[in-house]
Amino acid sequence: MKLLICGDIVATDISRQVFANADEKAAFGNVLEHFKSADKVMVNLECAVTDSDEKIMKVGPCLKAPLNTVETLKKAGVTDICLSNNHVFDFGKKGLNDTISAIEKAGLNYTGVGDNYEGSRENQIISDGKIKIAIVNVCEHEYSYATDDRCGTRPFDEFETMHDIRQAKAENDYVIVIYHGGKEICRYPSPRLMRACREMVRCGADAVFCQHSHIIGCFEEFECGHILYGQGNFHFVWDNMGESWKEGLMASLDITPKGINVIYIPVVVDGAGIKLADEKKAKGILTDLDKRNEELSSGEWKRGWREFCESKREWYDGVRLGEKVEAPGDATQMFAHYLDCEAHRDVWMELFPTWNKSN
């Protein structure tokens, strides 16, 4: 079985009309060639597909896509959609329900959401009659996650997610975790994220793919599992975010009874759409990826993580002091958000250690 796992898809002001027109060729260009050759094509839809204007209260932008977006994905050859991310609930319950309705109307599969926390923990099972694969799609705690009495996305839990992975492995041949988390625009995992992903592998995950960082990170083969810390964007066309924002990796998985082989295929922004990176660009992306992989082995990644955190010190210090307020009229909400979300908390822990670290 050939499974193609792609990163974040968001309709922006630049690409919105392409999705509104359901123009899959303009959206995906020659990437469609790889879609056609795969048995399953999975993407992360990181926005609501809705015509609602009722945004939720949050720090950061609320993202939505035209109603024809799912039809565009279907025409392109997408078969499965991951919804456990921090933006699919940006327009509340209506936005999430509209998104699910559009997916169901198109006849596509989806995973990563539920009517409540327990309901969100249902895995997606992919099978060709010979091989059974469980998809465990989770996200960090950032506004969208389901609670005991509210619908939403499947949140990562350091205890119950591990239980879910062990159970999935007992019932299926392979387990693939799609983890929406990690620090935005950082090429390295936090120490916590590395420990979490490695523990997922110990619990039975055969591969873990971390999305959300919007930048290509690094990967490692750990014990019997494959871990990618940062897949980069797939289709998220913003001009003002730098070249690294415009690059991403498709993960092509060749899955047989003997194991999983992973190959990375670089893609880049092309106008209002994306395309396969040309030979020179692809070589550069993969060479840089290999260099960062070596840093994981040597321990140099810790320096990269530390330098990234230090580059954000002024901002995080401002939040700590109540000077950086993006939450309307309430500095405490900004602070609460940074405690709630694992990626922000990882930076807190790096920049503001307790005296225990120096005793």
Side-chain angles (χ1 to χ4, degrees), residues 314-331:
E314 182 181 357
W315 176 265
Y316 278 80
D317 209 33
V319 172
R320 180 176 64 90
L321 298 173
E323 297 170 353
K324 304 289 186 181
V325 182
E326 288 187 359
D330 190 349

Side-chain angles (χ1 to χ4, degrees), residues 35 155 224 308 332:
F35 282 13
C224 295
F308 172 84
T332 60

Side-chain angles (χ1 to χ4, degrees), residues 49-264:
V49 177
T50 182
D51 57 6
S52 173
D53 292 322
E54 297 298 319
K55 301 177 181 179
I56 64 170
M57 291 188 294
K58 64 177 293 188
V59 175
C62 288
L63 305 177
K64 70 175 182 177
L67 297 178
N68 261 348
T69 296
V70 176
E71 183 62 25
T72 311
L73 299 179
K74 180 180 180 180
K75 290 173 65 178
V78 171
T79 58
D80 299 80
I81 297 177
C82 291
L83 293 177
S84 192
N85 59 65
N86 58 309
H87 283 289
V88 75
F89 199 78
D90 280 358
F91 290 81
K93 295 178 182 178
K94 183 181 187 311
L96 179 59
N97 289 334
D98 287 348
T99 303
I100 293 172
S101 294
I103 295 171
E104 290 178 340
K105 181 179 179 181
L108 302 184
N109 305 306
Y110 65 93
T111 187
V113 294
D115 291 336
N116 50 41
Y117 171 63
E118 287 301 324
S120 74
R121 293 171 65 190
E122 184 176 349
N123 303 326
Q124 180 180 353
I125 307 301
I126 296 175
S127 177
D128 63 357
K130 300 177 182 179
I131 300 172
K132 285 181 62 180
I133 305 165
I135 305 295
V136 179
N137 180 210
V138 295
C139 67
E140 293 181 349
H141 289 71
E142 193 170 357
Y143 298 110
S144 66
Y145 58 92
T147 62
D148 289 341
D149 58 0
R150 192 200 75 182
C151 64
T153 60
R154 181 181 187 173
F156 170 74
D157 183 275
E158 60 183 330
F159 304 110
E160 292 188 307
T161 297
M162 302 306 173
H163 168 78
D164 293 346
I165 292 170
R166 288 193 295 270
Q167 183 171 325
K169 187 63 172 182
E171 299 172 352
N172 298 274
D173 299 303
Y174 296 106
V175 177
I176 297 173
V177 178
I178 311 293
Y179 180 96
H180 198 85
K183 194 67 189 81
E184 298 99 320
I185 320 300
C186 183
R187 293 196 184 274
Y188 303 95
S190 69
R192 177 205 60 86
L193 181 58
M194 177 179 281
R195 290 195 299 271
C197 290
R198 287 181 170 184
E199 187 61 23
M200 292 182 214
V201 170
R202 292 190 184 102
C203 289
D206 297 280
V208 180
F209 296 97
C210 298
Q211 301 173 344
H212 174 68
S213 63
H214 304 298
I215 193 170
I216 298 173
C218 42
F219 74 84
E220 65 175 337
E221 303 292 344
F222 176 75
E223 295 187 359
C224 295
H226 181 98
I227 306 172
L228 174 64
Y229 302 104
Q231 193 169 357
N233 287 320
F234 184 56
H235 200 303
F236 200 154
V237 186
W238 272 1
D239 270 344
N240 61 343
M241 296 300 292
E243 288 304 308
S244 59
W245 183 278
K246 300 177 182 179
E247 302 170 352
L249 299 173
M250 293 191 294
S252 179
L253 282 63
D254 185 16
I255 306 172
T256 70
K258 295 182 178 180
I260 298 178
N261 182 52
V262 182
I263 296 175
Y264 290 117

